[in-house]
Amino acid sequence: MKTQDKILDAAAELILEEGVSNVTLEKIAKRAEVSKGGLLYHYRTKEILFQELNLVAIKEFDEAILRYINEKPSGRGAYTRAYAMATLEDIQRSGTHRSSALISIFSDHPEIMSIWKEGYARWQQQFEQDDLDWKEAATIRFVCDGLWFNEMAGTASTSAFAADLLHSLLARMEEKGE
């Protein structure tokens, strides 16, 4: 595992355990098993580290969307399908520990929320160009977003239902397209 990934994972774990305001660079370095100097080499401040945690989350999500689009690049709702599959993958892959830490950061760092607003604006543009009825696309997107935020908040009791619902919506979208 790369040093940056170890640092980001350590930061996310500590945010969840102690709250964002109690996390220090010293604690992150110790958890990541790197020197404070090693941590500072990659992230000069805690704010830069938190920003990177969010940027990496968006980048990884965008890469997953692109991978799913490349697997099935054409057809009605290709982007919407890819967004949904990337959402399910993110939840299943990471256990959302990094993602869960993001909510904590939002409250103390409103500038980071602007990073997510930019991402959502870009994703919304793609939805609007996806050859779907806006209600159909919005329903799928809201189920994805609700599922993701439900997992991030640690209230996963309805996750299986939401994932099943998402698969049903995608199957219905596929049927309409054929």
Side-chain angles (χ1 to χ4, degrees), residues 38-98:
L39 185 147
L40 290 171
Y41 173 78
H42 295 287
Y43 305 106
R44 291 180 293 136
T45 66
K46 187 167 65 167
E47 288 71 27
I48 291 171
L49 190 152
F50 289 168
Q51 184 174 12
E52 182 68 12
L53 188 61
N54 284 271
L55 290 170
V56 166
I58 291 170
K59 179 180 176 255
E60 288 173 352
F61 189 68
D62 283 338
E63 289 169 352
I65 290 170
L66 185 58
R67 189 172 9 86
Y68 282 107
I69 287 174
N70 288 336
E71 286 177 10
K72 192 171 181 182
S74 61
R76 184 174 175 274
Y79 183 82
T80 302
R81 181 183 322 96
Y83 186 95
M85 298 308 294
T87 298
L88 290 169
E89 177 185 305
D90 183 60
I91 288 166
Q92 293 166 353
R93 175 180 46 92
S94 69
T96 67
H97 79 276
R98 274 196 194 175

Side-chain angles (χ1 to χ4, degrees), residues 45-151:
T45 66
K46 187 167 65 167
E47 288 71 27
I48 291 171
L49 190 152
F50 289 168
Q51 184 174 12
E52 182 68 12
L53 188 61
N54 284 271
L55 290 170
V56 166
I58 291 170
K59 179 180 176 255
E60 288 173 352
F61 189 68
D62 283 338
E63 289 169 352
I65 290 170
L66 185 58
R67 189 172 9 86
Y68 282 107
I69 287 174
N70 288 336
E71 286 177 10
K72 192 171 181 182
S74 61
R76 184 174 175 274
Y79 183 82
T80 302
R81 181 183 322 96
Y83 186 95
M85 298 308 294
T87 298
L88 290 169
E89 177 185 305
D90 183 60
I91 288 166
Q92 293 166 353
R93 175 180 46 92
S94 69
T96 67
H97 79 276
R98 274 196 194 175
S99 300
S100 298
L102 303 178
I103 284 181
S104 298
I105 296 171
F106 291 165
S107 62
D108 284 355
H109 298 275
E111 69 279 3
I112 290 178
M113 188 62 170
S114 67
I115 294 169
W116 285 91
K117 286 180 181 179
E118 290 172 17
Y120 272 97
R122 187 178 64 256
W123 297 327
Q124 183 60 35
Q125 287 177 333
Q126 294 297 318
F127 276 103
E128 291 169 2
Q129 299 170 8
D130 208 21
D131 195 30
L132 292 177
D133 173 70
W134 74 269
K135 290 178 185 177
E136 185 178 20
T139 300
I140 292 170
R141 178 174 177 186
F142 294 152
V143 170
C144 288
D145 294 350
L147 178 59
W148 195 70
F149 280 104
N150 190 45
E151 287 286 325

